[in-house]
Amino acid sequence: ILVAVPGPLHTGVLLAERLRHAQEQQLATRETMAGVRRVGADHGQPCGTLSVGVAEVTTVTDLGKAVERTDRALYAAKQRRNLVVFIDASRGDVCTTYEDYRRRLQST
C-alpha cells in the first residue's frame, strides 16, 4: 500500500507510527486476533505486524523514483518488522527508525 500525505515528512512519519501502533494494539488486545498471536508464538516471531516505509518526495519529479525511495524505507522496516523507517534527507538519505527520530526530537 502506498499512502501519499500532502504535508511535511514529520506528518507522514507520525501518521505511519500511529497506524503501526494501532495495529500493534489491535493484535495485542482483541480476542479475534488470538489466532494470529498463536501463529506468531508457534513460529517464535511476531505475526500480524505492520512495517511502514516513509520518504519525503516533494522534490522528486519522477513517480518511479518516488516509489523506489519509499520502497527502500519499507524494505529496511521489514528487515526488523513492526517498525516505521523513513528516508532522512537531512542525514544523507539514511534510513532512520521512528524510535531514533523521537529520541532526537526529545534531546533538542
Side-chain angles (χ1 to χ4, degrees):
I1 298 172
L2 175 65
V3 179
V5 179
L9 178 64
H10 177 78
T11 302
V13 170
L14 291 180
L15 174 62
E17 178 56 22
R18 286 181 182 161
L19 290 170
R20 188 211 60 78
H21 182 74
Q23 170 65 18
E24 184 177 68
Q25 292 303 305
Q26 294 287 327
L27 182 63
T29 60
R30 289 212 167 190
E31 188 53 40
T32 57
M33 299 299 277
V36 175
R37 288 191 300 270
R38 259 191 312 281
V39 168
D42 290 349
H43 291 91
Q45 58 181 301
C47 189
T49 61
L50 181 63
S51 301
V52 184
V54 180
E56 170 69 52
V57 295
T58 55
T59 60
V60 178
T61 57
D62 180 336
L63 179 60
K65 296 265 187 219
V67 171
E68 182 180 299
R69 195 165 187 206
T70 307
D71 190 51
R72 187 164 59 97
L74 175 59
Y75 183 77
K78 288 175 146 297
Q79 295 301 302
R80 290 183 32 205
R81 299 183 76 155
N82 200 35
L83 194 64
V84 171
V85 171
F86 67 98
I87 302 294
D88 191 346
S90 70
R91 299 176 73 202
D93 279 356
V94 171
C95 288
T96 302
T97 65
Y98 172 76
E99 293 90 1
D100 291 340
Y101 179 68
R102 191 181 63 187
R103 275 192 291 269
R104 274 194 288 151
L105 286 177
Q106 290 173 343
S107 68
T108 59

